[in-house]
Amino acid sequence: MSKIKDSSKKEFLDENEIMLLKNYDSEFPNLIFTKEMFLFSYYSRGINFIDVLLLKKSDRSGDTITYIRRKTGVIVSFKLNDYTKEIIKKYSAEPSSPYIFNFIIAQDPSENYIQNKKRKVLTQRINEPLKKIIEELEIPKNITYYCARHSFATQLKFNNISIDITKEALGHKDIKSTMAYLNSLPSKKLDQIIEDVLV
């Protein structure tokens, strides 16, 4: 029973909910920032926020970003789309900064600085405002920034992408991590798949 409960805790936004979020507008720039950071992760293979913080200009070659995932040490590459390129442009760091985004100001940041910056931005500028956005959109889910990663992975599963490809996309070291990570298909999705198969 505990395993069943654990698997049900992995919240994600489905395709329709992602579009609702993408179309969300507000007069408050802080809410737009929150939305765009969530969607940057979703469209960038579920990149963790610590890795967003530490993305460097040298990690980008044309429309491709290649970085070493901090948690696993795995090299991950992803292609920017028009939407994510605009987000980078909007929140880009100063020309003198080695970083892509304007979060880290210190020239040689300590680990303590990085962790404090991550916690502060995630809590105050992303997760708290995100709750307000999700409520406004009338989505009955407890969504945080990290759910962008779950949403990305779940969409791959919904579209029958192999577990091996999903593993590579997420930057996992082994298949077990990926399998434990993915959500079970919702009943409605399973019903539709079965109806399409059975005559």
Side-chain angles (χ1 to χ4, degrees):
M1 285 301 292
S2 62
K3 286 183 180 178
I4 292 171
K5 286 179 182 177
D6 286 342
S7 66
S8 67
K9 291 177 184 175
K10 294 175 183 173
E11 293 276 27
F12 66 94
L13 295 180
D14 64 28
E15 206 169 329
N16 292 331
E17 290 164 342
I18 286 289
M19 288 312 298
L20 279 175
L21 180 60
K22 193 171 181 180
N23 292 328
Y24 173 84
D25 199 9
S26 173
E27 62 183 300
F28 301 107
N30 65 311
L31 295 181
I32 298 301
F33 167 82
T34 299
K35 167 189 113 165
E36 290 175 338
M37 283 296 107
F38 183 96
L39 290 173
F40 183 84
S41 176
Y42 176 77
Y43 288 117
S44 303
R45 299 192 184 179
I47 186 171
N48 286 24
F49 190 68
I50 188 71
D51 293 319
V52 171
L53 272 181
L54 298 173
L55 283 179
K56 292 191 172 181
K57 291 170 183 172
S58 58
D59 295 331
R60 182 176 179 179
S61 177
D63 290 343
T64 301
I65 288 181
T66 302
Y67 70 99
I68 298 174
R69 193 168 173 240
R70 190 172 168 96
K71 185 175 180 180
T72 60
V74 173
I75 296 173
V76 178
S77 288
F78 62 88
K79 188 176 180 181
L80 297 167
N81 60 26
D82 290 340
Y83 189 75
T84 52
K85 281 189 277 189
E86 281 302 312
I87 291 172
I88 287 175
K89 187 177 178 181
K90 189 172 181 179
Y91 304 107
S92 61
E94 294 294 321
S96 60
S97 172
Y99 298 100
I100 286 178
F101 287 105
N102 60 1
F103 298 114
I104 295 177
I105 298 170
Q107 288 297 317
D108 188 20
S110 65
E111 182 61 26
N112 190 47
Y113 174 95
I114 292 168
Q115 292 299 331
N116 284 340
K117 179 67 72 172
K118 181 194 83 168
R119 279 191 293 270
K120 186 175 181 180
V121 176
L122 263 182
T123 302
Q124 297 176 10
R125 297 186 63 195
I126 299 179
N127 286 336
E128 287 178 6
L130 189 57
K131 288 181 180 179
K132 181 178 180 181
I133 293 171
I134 295 301
E135 283 177 9
E136 283 186 39
L137 293 174
E138 298 182 345
I139 298 172
K141 294 180 179 179
N142 182 27
I143 299 297
T144 64
Y145 174 90
Y146 198 67
C147 296
R149 187 166 172 81
H150 289 298
S151 302
F152 165 74
T154 304
Q155 281 307 310
L156 294 188
K157 183 174 182 177
F158 283 2
N159 286 282
N160 303 314
I161 303 300
S162 76
I163 195 81
D164 287 308
I165 292 174
T166 303
K167 168 186 164 287
E168 293 294 324
L170 289 170
H172 285 158
K173 280 188 173 180
D174 55 68
I175 292 290
K176 285 183 180 178
S177 297
T178 310
M179 290 179 72
Y181 198 86
L182 290 170
N183 285 286
S184 297
L185 288 168
S187 295
K188 286 184 180 179
K189 187 73 177 180
L190 279 171
D191 289 343
Q192 185 59 54
I193 289 169
I194 291 167
E195 284 178 13
D196 289 345
V197 170
L198 297 180
V199 178

